[in-house]
Amino acid sequence: MLEKKIMNFEELLNEEQLKAVTSTSQYIKVIAGAGSGKTRVLTYRIAYLISNLNVYPSNILGITFTNKAAKEIKERVQNILPSVSYMALSTIHSWCARFLRENYEYISYPRNFTILDEEDQLQVMKDIFVLNGYNKKDKIIKDCLAWIGGKKTEGLQYKDLKGTHYPNPQYNLFLRFYEEYTSALQKTASLDFDDLLLKTIEILENYEDVRARYQKKFSHILVDEFQDINDVQFYLIRLLMGGETSLYVVGDPDQTIYTWRGANNKIMLDLEKNIRVDYPNAKVDTLILKNNYRSSKNILDSANALISHNEERIKKDLFPINPEGDKISFYNARTAVEEASFIASTINDLVKDNNYKYSTFAVLYRSNYLTRELETQLNLHQVPYKLFGGQKFYQRREIKDVLSYMYLLINPLDDQSLERIINVPKRNIGPTTVDTIKKQANEFGQTMYIFLKENLNYLIIPSSKKIAIENFINLLEDTKNKINSAENKDYGDIIQKMLDKIKYFDYLKEEENGDERIENVQELIGTIKIYFLQNREAEFADFIINATLQASSDEVEGGEYVSLMTVHTAKGLEFDNVFIYGFNEGVFPSNRALEESKKGIEEERRLAYVAITRARKKLYISCNQDFSYVAGSFLKPSRFLKEAGIKVQEEKKMTSYINSYNNNLYKKKDEAKKIIPTSNGVSSWSVGDLLTHEQFGSGKVSKVISDKLIEVKFDNPEYGTKTLLGSHYKIKKIVS
């Protein structure tokens, strides 16, 4: 029985939030500014539907953009309504994966298909190009994969493009490889992430009975972070909407920062117009959450001032609930070294003098390449830090090994997984043997696994290898039988025993970082056990699909360290103390954005807005005046500083650290010297030559040791005199 009116919404929500939660309109658009309680509104909206409007949880479809957000909302709802045990609340890719497993017969795929991540996709494409005579390291492979991804983002499968001829010959080549890529995935019963959406759309478009069933099932569809939705995703949602379906979307167009991967903020901006394509009389109730509970007034004032320069937006100003707070600190350093050192020393000072914890700090930047000097200085100042945006848990080699074993247990068509682990641990089955298996399996018209299981005797290889392969297949078949007959769903123990049998942990011990890798696998096994304790109705395949769809590295976990991440990674997070590093013209906004004129600048401005609104209490913004070898000029502060109302101290004409030690190096801006990268032709050095080093700054050659080695006395006394390789890429020669 559903719970009714168990809470007093008036006491739990502010006026804006209450209106958003209790609206009875069929189509509702909630513009939720940063820190305005977006997750709270979504949570209570679901609770309100169930408790006050008598909507069954199974009739609610909630779409989020991260697994973390889905988990958080689900947990919050269950805390409010303990009797609610199930809701369709997940990322759109997770929901599509589940939909396809329920309706697999419509796309001629087995129920337990494999989902390929980016690394798997690349490997498939490499195999295709190699078979066509290319080198597996050729740049064109990634270009082709990106092109295919772009077409899929447009909603175009190969069959939609078949017969198309492009003026660009390379595009015609890519189209041919799109066909081969599609065939390769079909053959191995595999789908990539884009396919999950496209195949779902394919079924809903072509089978009216299926579409009608799901339209009837989901009377309410709620979408989080709606500003980041792309055309294909919105079309899918439209297919799920019947005439009586209620659509409830929450987002902030001012935080649209993923247009480079297809996000279209006009879908949200023009929602009424877009819904009227299907329902001409549709009316959208637009509600705005302006009260900000996160940041101080000074921080919000700058954020509001900055974003007001964008034209393509719904006008709103965030109103601070918190006090005025500290003024925003701006530091215009002479060099990248000095800027990074300022951040490291400031953090240490605040920790020492104010008892701040390192975990309350985050350093945000536009691009990952900026971290090199930052990491150097944090290490020098002994500041503990963690760099986010590295390899995801489920993409680590040892985890993918185990998942490949698990995939083969449910999908014998998965050649990609078999090829990955047929010689892991070592079974003396090398690339030549694998190629032989591939060739003969193809001649038999079978996948590699099926061929090895049914026709191993036909394989012309040494008997020792045949025995190793037979043992490998028997191991998998035996494990599969145990999985299928496991009444208590002790799948974690079964996988553990399989790994023990093949001595996988002994194998990892011999690998680099072996202990860490073993811990990762043990963590995976523990995760399997917990998953089936919490999901008693789930099947073995459900865990594997869930694991494949995870995006763990984007989810920042707590710890006693400073968090380093791009602004994109920081989306949805907040910290007491935030540093925005490298706030220079050509960096933030990027040169690429500057070339795109208005559209590019507006996207970068939204990104800067997101960066500023991550800060609760203290915000530090820094830039430097060093020479940029990318731009070929000295750096200037970002235009966004002025737009945000942040006063920039007067720039010096001589902007390099070099000036502190050698006033004769640059006399006037029009007398600037030419800087030559050593990797581009500097073949000789003489005593007295001037140079600059990416890490150590400016210096002078004090001794030529050989035709390769030079001794350099650096202007910064911290680095002193060093012996270096004269042709090293980090060294740039300064000549008249």
Side-chain angles (χ1 to χ4, degrees):
M1 184 175 290
L2 294 174
E3 301 177 50
K4 294 180 69 175
K5 299 183 180 180
I6 63 168
M7 56 195 142
N8 188 338
F9 290 99
E10 287 79 3
E11 292 181 0
L12 294 165
L13 304 165
N14 67 35
E15 187 177 345
E16 291 176 346
Q17 293 170 339
L18 181 65
K19 196 172 180 182
V21 165
T22 60
S23 174
T24 56
S25 300
Q26 184 176 1
Y27 307 111
I28 303 166
K29 175 170 69 177
V30 181
I31 309 297
S36 63
K38 171 177 68 66
T39 303
R40 187 176 185 84
V41 166
L42 264 176
T43 300
Y44 281 109
R45 175 65 180 181
I46 294 171
Y48 178 78
L49 292 175
I50 297 170
S51 66
N52 285 36
L53 300 186
N54 296 323
V55 179
Y56 282 93
S58 58
N59 296 137
I60 298 172
L61 172 61
I63 299 296
T64 67
F65 273 76
T66 67
N67 291 293
K68 181 183 177 183
K71 183 181 177 183
E72 183 180 356
I73 295 171
K74 191 177 294 183
E75 287 175 350
R76 289 194 188 187
V77 171
Q78 289 173 338
N79 286 335
I80 299 169
L81 301 174
S83 66
V84 177
S85 59
Y86 173 79
M87 287 178 295
L89 184 60
S90 66
T91 66
I92 196 165
H93 292 98
S94 294
W95 184 84
C96 287
R98 189 161 57 249
F99 172 90
L100 291 173
R101 288 194 66 210
E102 293 172 356
N103 301 279
Y104 64 93
E105 67 272 16
Y106 293 101
I107 55 169
S108 302
Y109 264 72
R111 187 168 185 267
N112 293 325
F113 53 82
T114 297
I115 302 174
L116 303 184
D117 62 17
E118 289 181 3
E119 184 183 334
D120 295 327
Q121 288 177 253
L122 183 59
Q123 187 57 54
V124 171
M125 190 58 76
K126 282 181 179 178
D127 290 343
I128 292 170
F129 270 80
V130 168
L131 286 173
N132 284 274
Y134 289 83
N135 187 300
K136 66 179 180 180
K137 295 182 179 179
D138 200 317
K139 180 178 175 296
I140 196 174
I141 300 174
K142 288 186 177 180
D143 291 342
C144 182
L145 199 57
W147 186 86
I148 292 172
K151 294 301 173 187
K152 289 187 176 185
T153 301
E154 295 174 25
L156 298 171
Q157 300 185 67
Y158 169 72
K159 62 183 180 181
D160 303 315
L161 297 170
K162 188 177 180 180
T164 303
H165 184 77
Y166 293 96
N168 187 331
Q170 190 175 68
Y171 289 174
N172 293 310
L173 179 69
F174 288 173
L175 183 60
R176 178 163 71 84
F177 285 140
Y178 192 177
E179 180 181 18
E180 292 191 32
Y181 176 77
T182 301
S183 299
L185 266 59
Q186 181 80 44
K187 182 181 177 182
T188 59
S190 301
L191 298 170
D192 61 29
F193 275 62
D194 291 321
D195 288 333
L196 296 175
L197 274 71
L198 296 179
K199 294 297 182 184
T200 299
I201 288 172
E202 183 180 317
I203 294 173
L204 292 172
E205 277 185 330
N206 296 330
Y207 298 93
E208 188 176 344
D209 58 327
V210 179
R211 185 168 71 252
R213 176 161 34 101
Y214 280 88
Q215 288 178 348
K216 184 179 179 181
K217 177 180 175 65
F218 296 123
S219 59
H220 290 77
I221 298 175
L222 299 90
V223 188
D224 189 19
E225 303 287 3
F226 195 69
Q227 77 279 347
D228 290 326
I229 202 164
N230 64 34
D231 293 339
V232 171
Q233 292 164 344
F234 184 57
Y235 180 57
L236 172 58
I237 290 168
R238 284 171 53 197
L239 288 171
L240 290 171
M241 290 171 56
E244 302 300 317
T245 306
S246 171
L247 179 65
Y248 189 97
V249 305
V250 182
D252 183 6
D254 286 339
Q255 297 186 67
T256 304
I257 59 175
Y258 293 109
T259 59
W260 50 275
R261 65 185 189 194
N264 182 358
N265 68 341
K266 288 188 177 182
I267 296 173
M268 187 169 196
L269 291 172
D270 302 326
L271 185 61
E272 186 169 277
K273 174 184 172 184
N274 293 321
I275 294 177
R276 284 184 172 181
V277 172
D278 302 311
Y279 304 101
N281 297 319
K283 300 279 187 186
V284 174
D285 187 10
T286 300
L287 304 165
I288 301 177
L289 306 181
K290 296 179 181 178
N291 289 328
N292 177 284
Y293 293 86
R294 176 187 299 160
S295 305
S296 67
K297 183 178 183 301
N298 280 323
I299 293 171
L300 283 185
D301 285 347
S302 289
N304 288 331
L306 173 67
I307 202 63
S308 68
H309 288 78
N310 273 10
E311 296 176 9
E312 202 170 85
R313 62 188 294 264
I314 295 173
K315 295 187 183 309
K316 69 175 189 311
D317 279 338
L318 296 178
F319 180 80
I321 301 300
N322 294 324
E324 188 173 88
D326 294 340
K327 289 184 178 180
I328 296 173
S329 298
F330 172 68
Y331 186 72
N332 191 359
R334 291 169 293 181
T335 66
V337 174
E338 188 178 279
E339 183 185 2
S341 180
F342 158 75
I343 292 172
S345 59
T346 302
I347 291 172
N348 268 344
D349 289 345
L350 290 170
V351 169
K352 181 182 177 181
D353 300 336
N354 299 78
N355 293 318
Y356 286 20
K357 292 185 175 181
Y358 287 113
S359 56
T360 65
F361 292 90
V363 184
L364 311 181
Y365 34 83
R366 176 62 181 83
S367 302
N368 278 311
Y369 75 86
L370 294 166
T371 67
R372 180 189 53 78
E373 190 57 63
L374 181 61
E375 290 187 74
T376 299
Q377 292 302 315
L378 290 172
N379 283 323
L380 284 173
H381 289 78
Q382 297 183 322
V383 176
Y385 70 90
K386 184 173 181 179
L387 185 69
F388 291 91
Q391 196 173 40
K392 301 176 181 179
F393 178 80
Y394 287 103
Q395 290 182 343
R396 293 170 188 171
R397 178 163 59 81
E398 62 276 12
I399 301 301
K400 293 201 67 170
D401 286 347
V402 179
L403 287 177
S404 292
Y405 272 99
M406 293 170 69
Y407 257 126
L408 280 175
L409 298 175
I410 64 171
N411 180 12
L413 303 180
D414 187 359
D415 279 357
Q416 183 77 14
S417 290
L418 183 139
E419 194 170 344
R420 180 183 183 90
I421 48 90
I422 193 170
N423 201 40
V424 177
K426 301 293 184 186
R427 299 186 177 91
N428 197 29
I429 305 171
T432 303
T433 304
V434 171
D435 287 342
T436 302
I437 297 169
K438 275 185 183 178
K439 184 179 178 181
Q440 290 204 241
N442 191 56
E443 290 174 356
F444 274 72
Q446 295 177 319
T447 64
M448 294 168 69
Y449 187 93
I450 299 297
F451 171 77
L452 293 175
K453 182 183 174 183
E454 297 180 357
N455 297 295
L456 179 59
N457 290 334
Y458 290 95
L459 193 61
I460 306 171
I461 57 173
S463 58
S464 61
K465 295 182 186 288
K466 277 190 179 181
I467 293 170
I469 292 172
E470 186 176 15
N471 290 338
F472 171 68
I473 296 295
N474 288 340
L475 169 82
L476 290 168
E477 289 296 307
D478 180 59
T479 307
K480 186 190 299 183
N481 292 333
K482 290 176 180 176
I483 292 289
N484 293 335
S485 61
E487 294 182 1
N488 297 324
K489 300 197 173 185
D490 52 346
Y491 301 133
D493 292 331
I494 294 171
I495 299 300
Q496 172 86 54
K497 289 176 182 177
M498 179 190 72
L499 296 176
D500 288 340
K501 194 168 183 177
I502 62 175
K503 299 182 178 180
Y504 186 71
F505 294 106
D506 292 340
Y507 160 75
L508 289 180
K509 283 180 184 177
E510 303 301 318
E511 295 286 296
E512 186 179 358
N513 301 320
D515 290 342
E516 183 180 333
R517 296 183 186 278
I518 290 170
E519 287 175 358
N520 287 336
V521 175
Q522 289 172 336
E523 176 70 18
L524 176 65
I525 291 169
T527 302
I528 296 172
K529 293 178 180 180
I530 293 169
Y531 180 85
F532 287 102
L533 284 172
Q534 295 177 340
N535 301 273
R536 301 304 301 176
E537 302 302 314
E539 300 177 25
F540 182 66
D542 290 323
F543 174 83
I544 306 173
I545 289 174
N546 181 68
T548 309
L549 293 168
Q550 293 297 314
S552 306
S553 73
D554 294 332
E555 299 170 6
V556 179
E557 301 172 354
E560 200 44 44
Y561 47 73
V562 176
S563 297
L564 273 56
M565 66 190 77
T566 65
V567 182
H568 285 99
T569 302
K571 177 76 164 62
L573 303 176
E574 56 187 60
F575 300 87
D576 282 352
N577 311 293
V578 171
F579 290 83
I580 304 177
Y581 171 64
F583 214 59
N584 286 104
E585 195 76 0
V587 178
F588 203 163
S590 67
N591 276 323
R592 182 180 297 178
L594 294 173
E595 292 170 1
E596 293 177 5
S597 188
K598 179 184 171 182
K599 182 180 177 182
I601 290 294
E602 291 215 348
E603 173 99 352
E604 292 288 295
R605 193 175 285 114
R606 290 193 294 267
L607 192 61
Y609 174 79
V610 168
I612 291 171
T613 55
R614 297 314 91 194
R616 295 193 192 102
K617 298 177 180 178
K618 289 182 178 290
L619 177 62
Y620 300 83
I621 300 177
S622 62
C623 65
N624 68 75
Q625 306 172 50
D626 221 336
F627 189 87
S628 168
Y629 301 104
V630 176
S633 62
F634 290 104
L635 292 170
K636 297 180 179 179
S638 171
R639 68 184 66 193
F640 294 155
L641 289 161
K642 184 179 180 181
E643 292 178 359
I646 299 170
K647 189 175 180 181
V648 179
Q649 64 260 42
E650 187 176 346
E651 291 181 63
K652 302 173 184 177
K653 289 184 179 181
M654 301 296 113
T655 53
S656 173
Y657 202 139
I658 297 170
N659 299 339
S660 302
Y661 300 95
N662 190 346
N663 291 325
N664 295 321
L665 186 58
Y666 300 110
K667 293 180 181 179
K668 295 180 181 178
K669 195 171 182 178
D670 60 358
E671 296 176 1
K673 306 298 187 287
K674 188 178 179 182
I675 300 179
I676 303 177
T678 60
S679 59
N680 290 347
V682 177
S683 58
S684 63
W685 291 93
S686 302
V687 174
D689 282 346
L690 301 175
L691 57 80
T692 180
H693 188 280
E694 285 187 16
Q695 182 174 345
F696 307 133
S698 61
K700 182 186 292 186
V701 177
S702 56
K703 186 177 182 180
V704 179
I705 300 173
S706 68
D707 60 344
K708 293 184 179 180
L709 296 177
I710 56 175
E711 187 177 87
V712 180
K713 184 179 181 181
F714 287 99
D715 297 333
N716 189 339
E718 182 180 348
Y719 300 118
T721 300
K722 295 183 179 292
T723 300
L724 302 170
L725 185 68
S727 60
H728 199 278
Y729 74 95
K730 287 188 176 183
I731 300 176
K732 309 292 186 292
K733 190 175 191 178
I734 302 172
V735 299
S736 301

